[in-house]
Amino acid sequence: MAFVPGQPVTAIVQRIEIHKLRQGDNLILGFSIGGGIDQDPTQNPFSEDKTDKGIYVTRVTEGGPAEVAGLQIGDKIMQVNGWDMTMVTHDQARKRLTKRNEEVVRLLVTRQSLQKAVQQSMMS
Amino acid sequence: MDTESTYSGYSHYSGHSKKAHRQGSRDRHKSPRSKDGSRSEKSVTIQTPPAEPLLGNDASRAEEGQDDNWGETTTAITGTSEHSISQEDIARISKDLEDSVGLDCKRYLGLTVAAVLGLLVFLTPIAFILLPQILWRDDLEPCGTVCEGLFISVAFKLLILLIGTWALFFRQPKADLPRVFVFRALLLVLIFLFVFSYWLFYGVRILDSKDTNYQGIVQYAVSLVDALLFIHYLAIVLLELRQLQPMFTVKVVRSTDGESRYYSLGHLSIQRAALVVLENYYRDFTVYNPALLTASKSRAAKHMAGLKVYNVDGPGNNAAGQSRAMIAAAARRRDSSHNELYYEEADHERRVKKRRARLVVAVEEAFTHIKRLQAEEQQKAPGEMMDPREAAQAIFPSMARALQKYLRTTRQQQYHSMESILQHLSFCITNNMTPKAFLERYLNPGPTLQYDRDRWFSKQWTLVSEEAVTSGLQDGVVFVLKCLDFSLVVNVKKIPFIKLSEEFIDPKSHKFVLRLQSETSV
């Protein structure tokens, strides 16, 4: 997941579709995000490359919509509904995820194990 | 208590033996009286000696009288002291006598040579100018203002040279070094050669041929004076300036108790470095107190006395094997002398602290009895006025006992006679010092200079060195300054070459960001 500046980022991603849950006046997704281009990347426990300023999933609430949809802790979110999440500030990421008129968010996430799974399947 | 009486015997005996050599038999028949007096010392009645000037005989007589009451409770003079003090005194005194004659001759010879040379050098330009006037005045070309200008310049330059020489060379010699001072000798030789060559030239070219160009002669004299001023400059640089920049660090360790100091020196010869070290020794090192060393000596004696080697296998003088066997046995033996040392030292610390507390309290109380009279009050109450000496004598008895006990515990009692304590007390009273300032002298052992010359143990020094003493200091040179009782080992190290590089920091380059790591739940 390391990126070379100036080159397009390639990653193996998984599509995850989360249906927001209504709780009172809010629509919640059931996970927490960390990271962003205005944050300190060295404190990210999930990133492989400590200069990676992408958005990561830091917590997934049990039984929430995100867990049901298959989101795992430590995933890096690459796109939300077509919007890029690799070069956004923390607040922009939060806003993209919590739009009030969207009931469903379609994420593209990537994680370490995806790469390994693809490699294994290619070898066999 | 046993140790205390032995030490008292030491000081008692040494005090008497020294005076015996100076004052003949007068002290001999006084000693039985003092012994009787000292036995009844426990009650504190102190006969204050008459307030006389403290020079010479009076001081020793006062010390004699004070030994009655101030001295310790001696029951017997222990003749078996560790070294016989009186014989050492004889040796020292006779050595001083015979050395002083030889040294003086050498010193005065050097001084007279330098003085004669200096006088000759000073009079030479004047002679150069005057001789043509005296000898062939009529033949000389008249030379008006130019010569007079040159006369003035010669006069002032000679005056400057005179003042400079007085400032630089006319100083009391403060030490006697074993070898000749190389730079000074070089300079004297240089000056001599220089003046000699000038006289030679003058004699041959001017006197013999009776040169009539007076202006040239005067200019020749002016050039001599200029060159002399330059030689004076050279003397300043060689003798004074060159050694100022520190190049070496010397470590000085006293052999008896390991006290050490570091000093910075420049380019000096070994003998001059030794001189600097000795001058600083008298100021920086605490006074050498032989009474403090007896504990370690007794421990060492016990180590050696514990084992004996018996040769069971027959005759054979295997000395090396024997000593090795002794060392091995000593290493294996489980002796508890470290335990003894620890408890002894802890005990001693406690005792010293207790006595010190008592002393401080006693002195503070004693000082409260004295009040200074202001000038107006002095006319009003002429009755009970005392001068500082009497005031000191009045308050001394209340603190005498505590002070005596403290000095005995810290083994300093030989360094402070009652007379010196009274003198110090009156000095402190005169200068409005607090009790703590009065006690500062007794609570900490001070440098050697603070004490009476008789107690120094270190007046005659010998320089022991493997290299020639006139050679300069180098890295790794070691020399030893020995006196009769101890020695100072001096180790020279070069100050390392320091590479210093610079780094420029723009004051505007100090910028900071916050380290954020926020987590938002969506």
Side-chain angles (χ1 to χ4, degrees), chain B residues 4-17:
Chain B
E4 285 182 5
S5 69
T6 338
Y7 291 124
S8 58
Y10 179 104
S11 75
H12 202 75
Y13 191 52
S14 72
H16 278 282
S17 70

Side-chain angles (χ1 to χ4, degrees), chain B residues 50 69 90 93 108 138 170 231 283 285 328 359 362 447 475 519:
Chain B
N69 309 301
I90 298 176
I93 289 173
Y108 286 144
D138 312 318
F170 284 27
I231 292 188
R283 183 196 58 182
F285 279 71
L359 174 63
D475 188 28
E519 191 186 350

Side-chain angles (χ1 to χ4, degrees), chain B residues 99-295:
Chain B
D99 281 342
S100 58
V101 174
L103 290 172
D104 279 353
C105 274
K106 198 173 82 166
R107 215 191 286 173
Y108 286 144
L109 184 68
L111 278 178
T112 45
V113 164
V116 163
L117 193 62
L119 202 61
L120 198 71
V121 162
F122 190 73
L123 293 176
T124 301
I126 303 177
F128 282 3
I129 296 177
L130 287 179
L131 277 177
Q133 295 274 355
I134 297 171
L135 292 178
W136 62 91
R137 180 185 265 269
D138 312 318
D139 299 332
L140 285 177
E141 291 166 19
C143 124
T145 26
V146 182
C147 274
E148 281 158 20
L150 289 175
F151 287 155
I152 292 179
S153 84
V154 164
F156 275 105
K157 281 178 187 162
L158 277 179
L159 180 68
I160 291 174
L161 195 62
L162 190 67
I163 295 177
T165 315
W166 170 81
L168 192 60
F169 296 117
F170 284 27
R171 284 183 287 197
Q172 291 236 351
K174 51 183 180 173
D176 219 356
L177 297 177
R179 300 266 173 193
V180 74
F181 194 163
V182 172
F183 281 143
R184 256 185 232 167
L186 267 174
L187 276 170
L188 283 177
V189 167
L190 182 68
I191 291 178
F192 175 72
L193 283 176
F194 175 73
V195 170
F196 181 72
S197 63
Y198 261 71
W199 268 110
L200 201 63
F201 183 85
Y202 187 77
V204 167
R205 288 298 194 82
I206 296 180
L207 283 180
D208 277 353
S209 63
K210 296 211 190 285
D211 194 5
T212 54
N213 180 7
Y214 192 53
Q215 188 179 335
I217 296 175
V218 177
Q219 271 176 339
Y220 183 66
V222 172
S223 80
L224 170 67
V225 181
D226 287 340
L228 283 177
L229 279 173
F230 284 130
I231 292 188
H232 188 258
Y233 154 76
L234 186 69
I236 295 179
V237 165
L238 278 183
L239 296 179
E240 305 282 319
L241 286 185
R242 188 167 172 260
Q243 76 251 30
L244 287 181
Q245 200 171 40
M247 296 246 79
F248 299 99
T249 307
V250 299
K251 175 174 183 178
V252 186
V253 183
R254 185 157 60 183
S255 65
T256 49
D257 58 358
E259 191 171 337
S260 64
R261 292 274 186 289
Y262 286 87
Y263 299 112
S264 283
L265 297 177
H267 278 293
L268 288 173
S269 61
I270 290 184
Q271 59 181 3
R272 285 174 80 192
L275 189 64
V276 171
V277 164
L278 282 179
E279 283 165 8
N280 286 323
Y281 168 79
Y282 284 113
R283 183 196 58 182
D284 290 330
F285 279 71
T286 59
V287 66
Y288 167 70
N289 197 346
L292 293 172
L293 303 168
T294 50

Side-chain angles (χ1 to χ4, degrees), chain A residues 30-33 39-40 42 58 90, chain B residues 514-522:
Chain A
F31 66 97
S32 299
I33 54 165
Q39 306 282 313
D40 179 20
T42 57
T58 54
H90 190 89
Chain B
L514 285 177
R515 295 175 76 107
L516 296 171
Q517 187 60 29
S518 44
E519 191 186 350
T520 332
S521 61
V522 293

Side-chain angles (χ1 to χ4, degrees), chain B residues 363-501:
Chain B
V363 172
E364 279 174 1
E365 206 191 306
F367 266 65
T368 57
H369 296 311
I370 290 273
K371 189 174 90 97
R372 179 178 270 271
L373 274 184
Q374 304 302 322
E376 316 80 52
E377 299 168 5
Q378 274 180 19
Q379 283 94 15
K380 272 193 282 182
E384 271 297 316
M385 285 201 302
M386 300 185 281
D387 67 357
R389 174 94 194 166
E390 290 162 8
Q393 282 166 359
I395 61 173
F396 182 63
S398 57
M399 66 167 94
R401 203 187 162 75
L403 185 57
Q404 177 187 344
K405 281 203 159 143
Y406 180 80
L407 288 181
R408 230 194 283 170
T409 315
T410 52
R411 312 227 177 103
Q412 288 176 6
Q413 71 269 26
Q414 312 150 20
Y415 290 96
H416 303 286
S417 63
M418 189 168 92
E419 187 50 50
S420 77
I421 297 176
L422 273 173
Q423 203 186 344
H424 186 237
L425 186 55
S426 58
F427 170 79
C428 290
I429 292 177
T430 319
N431 291 308
N432 290 325
M433 291 206 198
T434 58
K436 204 163 178 191
F438 164 69
L439 280 177
E440 165 270 334
R441 190 180 224 218
Y442 304 108
L443 293 180
N444 310 309
T448 318
L449 280 176
Q450 190 179 307
Y451 299 99
D452 196 20
R453 277 195 85 111
D454 301 334
R455 289 270 147 231
W456 277 6
F457 286 105
S458 55
K459 279 180 274 196
Q460 184 87 3
W461 294 91
T462 316
L463 177 55
V464 177
S465 152
E466 288 163 17
E467 320 233 331
V469 296
T470 48
S471 64
L473 289 179
Q474 302 283 332
D475 188 28
V477 160
V478 174
F479 58 92
V480 177
L481 286 159
K482 268 209 307 210
C483 77
L484 274 171
D485 299 297
F486 60 94
S487 52
L488 298 172
V489 181
V490 181
N491 200 351
V492 178
K493 284 197 175 39
K494 201 169 151 65
I495 293 179
F497 181 75
I498 297 173
K499 273 183 94 81
L500 203 57
S501 55

Side-chain angles (χ1 to χ4, degrees), chain A residues 78-110:
Chain A
M78 306 297 277
Q79 274 185 13
V80 171
N81 285 344
W83 294 99
D84 171 58
M85 296 293 256
T86 56
M87 277 288 148
V88 289
T89 65
H90 190 89
D91 211 38
Q92 283 171 340
R94 181 190 59 83
K95 280 186 193 153
R96 300 250 173 81
L97 283 166
T98 54
K99 287 200 161 23
R100 294 175 80 82
N101 48 4
E102 287 175 356
E103 291 258 344
V104 175
V105 285
R106 292 181 180 83
L107 312 175
L108 288 178
V109 302
T110 181

